[in-house]
Amino acid sequence: MLMRKVPGFVPASPWGLRLPQKFLFLLFLSGLFTLCFGALFLLPNSSRLKRFFLAPRTQPPGLEGVPEGPGHPLAGEQESPPNPAPAAPAPGEEDPSSLASPRRRKGWARRPQPTRPREEATAARSSSSGGGGRAEAPQEGSLPFSFDFHAFRSRLRHPVLGTRTRGSEEPQSLVQTRREKIKEMMQFAWQSYKRYAMGKNELQPLTKDGYQGNMFGGLSGATVIDSLDTLYLMELKEEFQEAKAWVEENFHLNVSGEASLFEVNIRYIGGLLSAFYLTGEEVFRMKAIKLGEKLLPAFNTPTGIPKGVVNFKSGSNRSWGWTTTGSSSILAEFGSLHLEFLHLSELSGNQVFAEKVRHIRKFLRKIDKPFGLYPNFISPVSGNWIQHHVSVGGLGDSFYEYLIKSWLMSAKTDTEAKDMYYEALTAIETHLVNVSPGGLTYIAEWRGGNLDHKMGHLACFSGGMIALGAEDAEEDKRAHYRELAAQITKTCHESYDRSDTKLGPEAFWFNSGKEAVATQLSESYYILRPEVVESYMYLWRQTHNPIYREWGWEVVMALEKYCRTEAGFAGIQDVYSSIPNHDNKQQTFFLAETLKYLYLLFSEDDMLSLEDWVFNTEAHPLPVNRSDSAGRGGGHL
Ligand code: DMJ
């Protein structure tokens, strides 16, 4: 029907409503709709309904557990730095410095929710790649960043375990027998731990139980993590699978204690990183990165120099109470993060780890150093050195080690690390190195200009370090450094040889007519430490002088005689007594370092070749970076 348009006439709607009535009706309808929709959000538990209306927030398993609280990047800073180090971008926040990287844009979950242990284990199981292929896209149980494991392996110059074809100067059978013996010791150490203390941090072989300690913030299984790569290397396959299964099922990161930044880094992060690079198993990469994130609040200080202790629950940090004035950071602790943190960035695509340690490096590069020496304590608040105590042993040691190893790990592109290492070594030689009346070369400790003519067992790693660094020194110094390395290692051997047990004391002195011996009972203990055999291993690889294998074998014999107990290995309280008094602890570094270095000493040079790998200070092998981006400024390492 055609309706004629008559001026002044307003047609009625099909329902017979006029325009004002229609307007009122629509207003009523829209009000009703708003009321109903809003009511959904007022229901006591509306989460299910919300799911229909709100976009889900995806949370890749494996990124949980970043604490929120004081000191956490998502929370307000505890201390507001005048010139703060770049704050850690929280998972989910874009790191401005890495916007150019398309990989970063894949995104991190914004607010991680804690995952329960079972979920974590499931995620870990489903993420284990079983051979390390390339994960193209984030999936359940994986990280939102892929690492090309096959490409990495193809860049290695040697098979990881070597070719085992080349001969050595000794009859093969003797070397093999000795290597097998060391393998048996590892098997015994592992099985004892498994039997009496599986999942605890350390085995107590006398009481046949486990020990948790308070260094790791509530984390468990330090021995498992520290043993993974040694088991792999020795081809203890069943034991390796046991260790891996424990990590998948039982290594939980939702812990809430106070942890040592240094110890967690060198043992847990180092152990997990190595296990990943050796096997390509995703579970190790994922857990290393998650744990690395938990350490970041330690860096929330005015200077960016981290404090030694981080609280996993609150995200706060503090210095060790026993340090000078209770407020110092320790050179060997904050100076021994570089290798692992660069690898965390490499494997996660998250640059925050690398930025943290590069900042430390820059800070140390610029700061005034007394006579070119680095004191052991610094204030993370003012950035000033505290006391002038310098040591290549405890408190200082691995800082120097990480300089030369950063250079090597960067495929010799990190010239800053190289320069700092040789400058530091020159200062050490000028002010600390001495020769005793009996002709023994040692590195003394320096206290504001006065020397303590003492060397700690820990300082005995320096023979190996100086040997390792000798090859890249200025040409006219290479032979000198090789000789210095050999002399220091010889001195450390003397400290073993002059004891009744042929094991070395915790510290030994050069005064009052005594040389290379401890002068008091409190320094006469041996706790299964690795530093002396570590130097034997490097010196062997450099010189192939059979004396180093002989000295290494002396240690094996002594360990068997004095440290082996019915239920594992234990330290002894007095190396000068041939009746051993055991200390009831099988240290994790005995499996990570001492036995690994001994095994390598009796292996071919291409097993974990030094062309491909550097060892962190807990002897966990980390690969030299030869990725395409290395050396073009784009590489992380
Ligand atoms: C290990 O944890 C590391 O080698 C560290 O650098 C020093 N102390 C122990 C072994 O003695």
Side-chain angles (χ1 to χ4, degrees):
M1 181 177 66
L2 177 71
M3 282 213 278
R4 226 172 231 263
K5 211 175 175 189
V6 180
F9 175 75
V10 180
S13 74
W15 302 306
L17 294 175
R18 294 182 187 280
L19 192 59
Q21 292 166 315
K22 203 163 71 178
F23 176 72
L24 277 175
F25 181 65
L26 283 174
L27 203 66
F28 170 73
L29 273 183
S30 70
L32 192 68
F33 179 77
T34 310
L35 205 66
C36 294
F37 186 78
L40 291 174
F41 289 83
L42 297 175
L43 292 173
N45 181 1
S46 57
S47 57
R48 277 195 207 154
L49 292 164
K50 280 178 195 171
R51 271 217 308 265
F52 289 106
F53 297 99
L54 302 178
R57 258 182 191 159
T58 46
Q59 152 76 36
L63 290 179
E64 73 277 20
V66 178
E68 287 181 49
H72 182 261
L74 287 175
E77 289 280 299
Q78 260 172 308
E79 300 155 320
S80 40
N83 188 11
E93 286 178 350
E94 198 66 56
D95 172 2
S97 67
S98 60
L99 281 176
S101 163
R103 295 184 298 200
R104 282 281 292 122
R105 293 208 196 98
K106 286 184 180 174
W108 294 69
R110 186 171 170 76
R111 283 191 61 205
Q113 304 292 319
T115 309
R116 287 186 300 280
R118 182 173 298 188
E119 291 166 346
E120 216 175 33
T122 310
R125 261 199 315 276
S126 64
S127 72
S128 284
S129 68
R134 181 181 189 143
E136 288 301 338
Q139 299 155 359
E140 175 107 344
S142 69
L143 290 167
F145 174 82
S146 67
F147 176 77
D148 194 336
F149 187 77
H150 292 303
F152 147 67
R153 290 297 284 257
S154 71
R155 287 191 290 268
L156 294 179
R157 295 189 174 160
H158 303 272
V160 175
L161 300 183
T163 54
R164 284 177 249 186
T165 51
R166 281 185 279 137
S168 76
E169 290 167 18
E170 290 179 86
Q172 271 299 323
S173 59
L174 179 61
V175 176
Q176 274 171 8
T177 310
R178 291 182 170 184
R179 189 167 57 232
E180 285 306 306
K181 175 64 201 165
I182 297 158
K183 183 171 171 175
E184 183 279 328
M185 291 165 76
M186 179 69 188
Q187 200 166 22
F188 174 67
W190 170 260
Q191 281 171 357
S192 304
Y193 165 76
K194 189 181 81 172
R195 179 162 178 200
Y196 299 111
M198 189 69 186
K200 290 285 181 354
N201 282 324
E202 281 163 324
L203 164 67
Q204 302 193 125
L206 303 189
T207 46
K208 297 184 180 171
D209 55 9
Y211 177 75
Q212 273 304 89
N214 52 10
M215 252 189 336
F216 305 124
L219 293 169
S220 295
T223 294
V224 180
I225 310 283
D226 245 6
S227 297
L228 282 162
D229 51 16
T230 310
L231 295 171
Y232 182 87
L233 190 69
M234 295 183 179
E235 297 178 83
L236 288 166
K237 293 180 184 167
E238 205 176 300
E239 290 82 356
F240 177 81
Q241 288 306 326
E242 289 162 359
K244 184 186 144 203
W246 185 88
V247 174
E248 288 172 334
E249 299 287 336
N250 298 300
F251 182 47
H252 307 308
L253 303 184
N254 52 348
V255 291
S256 57
E258 284 196 319
S260 158
L261 167 68
F262 168 76
E263 296 293 354
V264 170
N265 178 57
I266 67 168
R267 301 192 201 209
Y268 284 91
I269 303 273
L272 290 165
L273 288 172
S274 289
F276 172 70
Y277 281 117
L278 292 174
T279 65
E281 296 282 356
E282 268 298 290
V283 62
F284 300 129
R285 180 174 81 108
M286 184 176 78
K287 300 239 177 194
I289 293 166
K290 284 161 53 183
L291 190 50
E293 286 168 357
K294 289 174 79 80
L295 296 179
L296 291 175
F299 293 81
N300 293 336
T301 67
T303 56
I305 299 291
K307 293 186 182 175
V309 183
V310 59
N311 187 312
F312 283 152
K313 186 174 186 187
S314 66
S316 61
N317 58 34
R318 68 175 175 88
S319 300
W320 293 108
W322 54 265
T323 59
T324 326
T325 73
S327 58
S328 311
S329 293
I330 298 164
L331 182 67
E333 293 201 337
F334 66 80
S336 308
L337 305 167
H338 208 95
L339 305 179
E340 297 83 358
F341 272 50
L342 292 195
H343 274 292
L344 286 175
S345 280
E346 177 78 0
L347 293 184
S348 68
N350 185 354
Q351 284 298 295
V352 71
F353 301 108
E355 282 161 9
K356 296 292 182 199
V357 291
R358 286 198 181 114
H359 177 80
I360 296 175
R361 168 81 70 69
K362 296 258 167 299
F363 191 96
L364 290 174
R365 180 96 181 121
K366 280 197 202 133
I367 190 171
D368 276 346
K369 293 164 270 287
F371 303 100
L373 296 166
Y374 290 82
N376 291 336
F377 298 109
I378 201 169
S379 162
V381 176
S382 69
N384 296 325
W385 298 117
I386 296 179
Q387 284 192 344
H388 282 181
H389 176 213
V390 179
S391 163
V392 179
L395 306 175
D397 48 10
S398 41
F399 160 68
Y400 306 99
E401 177 186 357
Y402 273 36
L403 288 178
I404 189 64
K405 288 181 176 175
S406 294
W407 157 251
L408 296 171
M409 197 176 85
S410 70
K412 305 192 179 181
T413 59
D414 184 353
T415 49
E416 182 180 58
K418 179 189 180 193
D419 293 347
M420 285 171 74
Y421 170 76
Y422 290 111
E423 284 161 16
L425 186 56
T426 302
I428 287 166
E429 240 200 302
T430 308
H431 300 285
L432 273 58
V433 172
N434 271 271
V435 180
S436 71
L440 296 180
T441 301
Y442 62 96
I443 308 183
E445 299 194 0
W446 194 82
R447 289 180 191 275
N450 297 319
L451 289 186
D452 279 347
H453 293 273
K454 153 196 183 187
M455 208 167 152
H457 193 289
L458 290 166
C460 283
F461 86 99
S462 60
M465 175 184 76
I466 294 169
L468 187 65
E471 304 313 316
D472 291 319
E474 287 169 16
E475 198 157 349
D476 60 337
K477 288 197 175 154
R478 286 179 198 164
H480 167 71
Y481 284 141
R482 283 187 208 117
E483 181 57 18
L484 179 62
Q487 289 304 327
I488 290 171
T489 304
K490 180 174 163 223
T491 298
C492 290
H493 172 259
E494 286 298 318
S495 78
Y496 276 48
D497 203 43
R498 294 176 187 203
S499 78
D500 294 25
T501 55
K502 304 296 172 200
L503 293 167
E506 181 67 3
F508 45 94
W509 290 78
F510 300 86
N511 58 13
S512 315
K514 299 205 165 157
E515 298 202 354
V517 288
T519 54
Q520 44 191 315
L521 187 60
S522 62
E523 293 173 335
S524 299
Y525 61 89
Y526 172 71
I527 56 168
L528 307 174
R529 285 199 191 276
E531 291 77 17
V532 174
V533 294
E534 174 180 351
S535 284
Y536 294 167
M537 192 281 290
Y538 283 109
L539 267 291
W540 161 256
R541 287 216 174 168
Q542 183 176 68
T543 65
H544 286 177
N545 183 338
I547 195 69
Y548 297 113
R549 281 186 166 170
E550 280 315 308
W551 290 351
W553 190 245
E554 287 170 8
V555 177
V556 171
M557 294 290 92
L559 287 168
E560 282 289 281
K561 188 164 177 188
Y562 296 106
C563 298
R564 190 168 178 139
T565 74
E566 188 196 327
F569 287 89
I572 53 175
Q573 283 167 14
D574 184 4
V575 295
Y576 302 106
S577 165
S578 53
I579 302 163
N581 204 351
H582 293 118
D583 70 0
N584 199 22
K585 193 177 266 199
Q586 181 174 277
Q587 302 277 352
T588 78
F589 50 70
F590 181 65
L591 296 91
E593 298 191 70
T594 312
L595 292 175
K596 184 186 288 137
Y597 284 132
L598 282 169
Y599 189 76
L600 290 172
L601 178 62
F602 290 95
S603 301
E604 298 298 335
D605 294 356
D606 57 1
M607 173 175 279
L608 289 179
S609 162
L610 297 177
E611 278 192 282
D612 286 326
W613 303 89
V614 295
F615 293 94
N616 88 339
T617 193
E618 190 77 0
H620 296 304
L622 299 172
V624 170
N625 183 39
R626 291 199 190 88
S627 65
D628 297 342
S629 55
R632 295 204 313 257
H636 302 313
L637 303 184

